[in-house]
Amino acid sequence: MREQIVILWFKRDLRVVDHAPLAAAAACGLPVLPLYIVEPDYWRQPFASSRHWHFIHDSLADLHGMCARLGQPMAVHTGDAVAVFKKLHSAFDVTAIYAHEEIGNDWTYKRDTQVLAWCAETGIALHEFPTNGVVRRLKTRDNWAGIRNRRMAQPCVATPAALTPLGARNTGFELGALPDKADALFGAPPPGAVQRGGRAEGEKLLQSFLTTRGRHYTAHMSAPGLSEIYGSRLSAHLTWGTLSAREVDQATAKCQAQLSGEAARAWKRPLAAFRSRLAWRCHFMQKLEDQPSIEHKAMHAFFDGMREDSFDPELFAAWQAGRTGYPLVDACMRNLTANGWITFRMRAMLVSFASYDLWLDWRQTGYVLARLFTDYEPGIHYSQLQMQSGVTGINAIRIYNPVKQSYDHDPDGAFIKKWVPELTDVPSAFVHEPWKMSRAMQQESGCIIGQDYPEPVVDHRAAVPAAREKMARIRKMQGFSDASKMVHAKLGSRKRTRRKARSGARAPAAQLDMLNLLDG
């Protein structure tokens, strides 16, 4: 007779702290088998990369030890999820599966649908628990913020003292092995470094951010280079679930409450800004939950087909390689390729430049960025791609000037020269626009434009008006406004913003929050 057990299915929640499925499984009274499934077809998708796997691998190694200390080591099986569950059900009498609701992409949604159907056919209960502040089957956006905030205020779920292990007769059950980081299953090796994963690393980052680094968060979060130091750098840990959004939010709130005097004045704005971005993170993930099609289709249907037929492979290759002739764009792309992370403002600039200056489709550029980002979070990724390429129909068209951004955020060119060494000896006065150097100056600085460093692949001053004209033609089409209202009703923020009091006034707080969403 097969032993009755329940399965705890880990996905993007690689921790044992504040883990509702774990607590519920432990409380059911049956042996609990923690399980992670390595799904080969997932790793063949255009958004997946070995950089993700390296971070996940670190996190799973950490998680394996945590589960073992609770009394039952974690199983790691490779294969299709339904096939793995069938195999386990043939070895055990699986009565239930416990898991978090995954706010993933279309691939994971279809996989979860298949697992749900198999559970229904087999008579196995599938218990799913909410992820962060995302609400499944949300009827209206009007009350979402309240639901999210109440969830964040609830106490973190306590880690159970122990898991009931498999019975003695199953001590020889093959738990499986964690594939190597270099396994060919995960594709080509990462093109650069990978942020270290695992809960212990996440806890260190959170502690250092709340005690030292975060003090200068708002001052430096948009600056390439400095943002790597003063940003929280927790995004990958939130993405893969080594930390929960709730425990990070509550740790930040606790820090706020303990401040006084000069420390309170210095830390008030940075910590409030960080918590605001945690809320916006849930907001954008909710968009994908409410409309999974935004991975493939524009939120506003009128924009579908706008760029697809204009794809230029040479411009795409130049953008991907960091050889567009615009120094800050190229430095950011090379930095991202090497490190797997860059501040949100620079992410937005990369998408804006690709979408408006190069007129590349956001779906194609989005896959490149997804593979490069260690913190690839589908809910944020596709919402932001659409916002920064202007296809939501509910957000203002925001086109970044790569030269202005360069002067504003890297005034002395230090970041540019670090990542675009061709410009190392170019005078600072010309590092943002090296094509303006005379031939003699190019020779003197050892950088011949068009030879050592490319000429601009497009003229920003000409490309932007052309892009605006194309966008305007669509926005003037009959029915566009009505369709925009429908998009806003389903996906738009309900946060109020004040009108500008005068020309040149600061953007509303909500807009600034969105622009800087991932600067943490």
Side-chain angles (χ1 to χ4, degrees):
M1 187 175 180
R2 295 173 300 159
E3 180 181 16
Q4 281 195 335
I5 69 165
V6 298
I7 292 175
L8 172 63
W9 183 15
F10 287 107
K11 293 186 275 186
R12 298 171 76 97
D13 51 353
L14 307 181
R15 63 182 185 277
V16 298
V17 176
D18 196 26
H19 200 292
L22 168 64
C28 79
L30 291 174
V32 178
L33 178 63
L35 171 69
Y36 184 84
I37 305 175
V38 178
E39 301 166 273
D41 191 55
Y42 174 92
W43 294 101
R44 288 191 284 266
Q45 301 306 307
F47 50 75
S49 74
S50 60
R51 175 168 270 156
H52 304 159
W53 174 246
H54 278 229
F55 189 94
I56 293 170
H57 188 283
D58 290 342
S59 303
L60 287 172
D62 208 8
L63 181 61
H64 189 279
M66 296 177 194
C67 290
R69 287 190 289 275
L70 288 176
Q72 176 55 58
M74 179 175 62
V76 178
H77 286 202
T78 299
D80 170 80
V82 171
V84 169
F85 285 126
K86 285 181 178 178
K87 181 179 178 181
L88 291 173
H89 192 44
S90 68
F92 302 95
D93 180 7
V94 178
T95 64
I97 298 172
Y98 292 80
H100 271 116
E101 296 168 345
E102 183 171 2
I103 315 304
N105 46 35
D106 187 51
W107 190 95
T108 61
Y109 172 78
K110 290 177 179 176
R111 176 255 278 143
D112 284 350
T113 301
Q114 293 166 0
V115 171
L116 178 62
W118 177 78
C119 286
E121 292 172 5
T122 315
I124 294 174
L126 177 60
H127 302 292
E128 293 186 290
F129 296 77
T131 297
N132 302 318
V134 180
V135 182
R136 184 146 291 181
R137 290 177 286 277
L138 181 68
K139 293 182 179 180
T140 173
R141 265 279 177 162
D142 293 344
N143 59 357
W144 173 80
I147 298 173
R148 183 263 173 195
N149 292 340
R150 286 192 292 275
R151 284 187 183 175
M152 291 297 108
Q154 292 172 353
C156 289
V157 179
T159 304
L163 294 176
T164 302
L166 301 180
R169 59 181 168 168
N170 289 307
T171 54
F173 172 72
E174 183 60 53
L175 292 173
L178 189 61
D180 291 339
K181 286 184 176 181
D183 194 306
L185 170 64
F186 307 104
V194 182
Q195 182 178 352
R196 185 167 178 78
R199 181 171 177 83
E201 290 297 317
E203 289 176 329
K204 289 178 186 176
L205 285 173
L206 179 59
Q207 175 68 13
S208 66
F209 179 72
L210 294 180
T211 55
T212 55
R213 295 184 298 112
R215 183 185 181 103
H216 303 291
Y217 173 65
T218 47
H220 299 308
M221 64 185 178
S222 293
L226 291 175
S227 55
E228 296 179 18
I229 302 170
Y230 298 107
S232 76
R233 297 308 311 275
L234 292 171
S235 55
H237 290 278
L238 291 168
T239 289
W240 303 109
T242 63
L243 300 174
S244 76
R246 177 163 53 196
E247 61 178 321
V248 172
D249 183 68
Q250 291 187 7
T252 309
K254 182 179 179 181
C255 185
Q256 286 177 305
Q258 293 174 341
L259 295 172
S260 62
E262 176 58 31
R265 287 188 288 274
W267 282 87
K268 179 180 179 180
R269 187 176 175 220
L271 295 182
F274 179 62
R275 291 189 71 194
S276 173
R277 282 146 185 80
L278 289 173
W280 279 107
R281 181 178 184 275
C282 292
H283 163 74
F284 283 105
M285 292 177 70
Q286 185 69 50
K287 287 177 183 280
L288 184 64
E289 172 66 25
D290 291 342
Q291 189 167 319
S293 64
I294 66 173
E295 178 182 353
H296 306 294
K297 297 180 180 179
M299 292 183 194
H300 197 300
F302 280 42
F303 289 112
D304 276 327
M306 180 176 66
R307 292 186 176 98
E308 289 90 317
D309 295 336
S310 302
F311 184 80
D312 187 320
E314 291 186 2
L315 293 179
F316 179 74
W319 173 81
Q320 186 174 1
R323 291 191 59 79
T324 67
Y326 284 89
L328 186 61
V329 172
D330 294 342
C332 287
M333 183 58 83
R334 297 183 194 186
N335 176 212
L336 173 59
T337 301
N339 291 337
W341 185 91
I342 197 166
T343 186
F344 172 71
R345 183 174 291 273
M346 298 301 109
R347 298 183 189 207
M349 182 192 68
L350 287 174
V351 176
S352 171
F353 185 82
S355 299
Y356 296 111
D357 290 73
L358 307 183
W359 205 245
L360 297 172
D361 182 50
W362 57 272
R363 281 157 282 229
Q364 297 299 320
T365 56
Y367 285 138
V368 172
L369 296 174
R371 293 190 295 270
L372 291 176
F373 293 151
T374 308
D375 58 7
Y376 165 59
E377 180 70 74
I380 296 173
H381 188 67
Y382 297 109
S383 294
Q384 286 296 315
L385 281 171
Q386 294 209 30
M387 277 185 62
Q388 304 306 335
S389 59
V391 298
T392 68
I394 60 174
N395 300 106
I397 302 299
R398 182 176 177 83
I399 301 177
Y400 286 75
N401 182 325
V403 176
K404 181 180 184 300
Q405 293 295 314
S406 189
Y407 280 109
D408 287 350
H409 298 292
D410 189 30
D412 61 0
F415 178 78
I416 289 172
K417 291 185 177 185
K418 177 179 179 179
W419 293 104
V420 187
E422 304 97 295
L423 304 177
T424 298
D425 295 323
V426 170
S428 296
F430 290 94
V431 73
H432 307 288
E433 302 173 275
W435 57 87
K436 290 186 175 181
M437 289 190 295
S438 66
R439 184 71 178 183
M441 189 174 292
Q442 292 179 36
Q443 292 174 335
E444 184 178 343
S445 61
C447 181
I448 305 300
I449 302 303
Q451 178 179 315
D452 300 305
Y453 182 69
E455 296 178 351
V457 293
V458 294
D459 182 350
H460 176 76
R461 295 169 300 178
V464 168
R468 288 191 184 278
E469 182 180 352
K470 294 173 185 176
M471 301 290 291
R473 284 202 298 266
I474 292 177
R475 297 176 77 91
K476 292 176 182 177
M477 292 173 64
Q478 185 176 0
F480 182 91
S481 180
D482 290 339
S484 293
K485 292 176 182 177
M486 294 176 65
V487 174
H488 184 270
K490 187 171 186 178
L491 303 175
S493 167
R494 298 304 191 263
K495 187 171 182 178
R496 293 184 178 181
T497 59
R498 292 176 294 180
R499 293 180 180 273
K500 288 185 179 181
R502 61 188 182 280
S503 177
R506 289 176 59 86
Q511 183 179 345
L512 290 174
D513 281 342
M514 287 190 286
L515 295 179
N516 294 309
L517 174 67
L518 289 183
D519 281 340

